[in-house]
Structure formats: structure tokens, C-alpha cells
């Protein structure tokens, strides 16, 4: 099932918030971050996977840099 653009945007914002919180608490391992996101927002298409990955990377490095 394809997710609407609005829903994708909201999910990416939630993912960024979740990842920022995890990074601030000390979790910087990519595999742990991805596993946590996949547990809450399991991607169903390659496009979702790519967008979630971008949100994780953006959030992680916005805190670390």
C-alpha cells in the first residue's frame, strides 16, 4: 500500500524526532537506529526505505555536527 505524501512527511518528521532523541541519549550506532525506526515504522516499499534512511541520516548528523 502506497503512503500519501502528507503521511510520508509526517512519518519522516516523527522519525527525525525519534532519532534525535536516541542520539542525545547516546545511541549512535546506525544499525540500532535503523532497527528502532523499522520497529515503529516498518517500510513497505523501496521508496519508503530510502526516505526513512534519509531522515535517520539527517537527524543523526544534525545532532552530531
Amino acid at each position: 500500500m502506497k503512503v500519501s505524501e502528507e503521511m510520508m512527511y509526517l512519518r519522516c518528521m516523527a522519525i527525525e524526532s525519534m532519532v534525535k532523541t536516541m542520539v542525545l541519549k547516546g545511541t549512535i550506532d546506525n544499525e540500532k537506529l535503523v532497527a528502532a525506526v523499522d520497529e515503529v515504522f516498518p517500510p513497505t516499499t523501496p521508496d519508503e526505505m530510502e526516505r526513512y534512511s534519509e531522515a535517520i541520516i539527517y537527524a543523526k548528523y544534525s545532532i552530531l555536527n
Side-chain angles (χ1 to χ4, degrees):
M1 183 171 127
K2 186 166 170 67
V3 178
S4 70
E5 284 297 314
E6 294 84 8
M7 184 58 70
M8 181 65 69
Y9 177 78
L10 292 174
R11 285 184 182 178
C12 286
M13 295 300 291
I15 288 168
E16 287 179 22
S17 178
M18 184 172 88
V19 169
K20 285 179 181 180
T21 301
M22 291 177 70
V23 171
L24 287 171
K25 289 182 177 181
T27 304
I28 58 172
D29 181 52
N30 288 337
E31 289 182 21
K32 289 182 181 178
L33 295 172
V34 171
V37 169
D38 284 349
E39 188 175 311
V40 178
F41 299 104
T44 57
T45 66
D47 183 51
E48 284 182 36
M49 238 187 286
E50 183 178 342
R51 289 191 183 189
Y52 293 173
S53 295
E54 290 172 0
I56 292 168
I57 292 167
Y58 174 79
K60 178 180 175 182
Y61 289 107
S62 71
I63 296 297
L64 295 177
N65 287 333

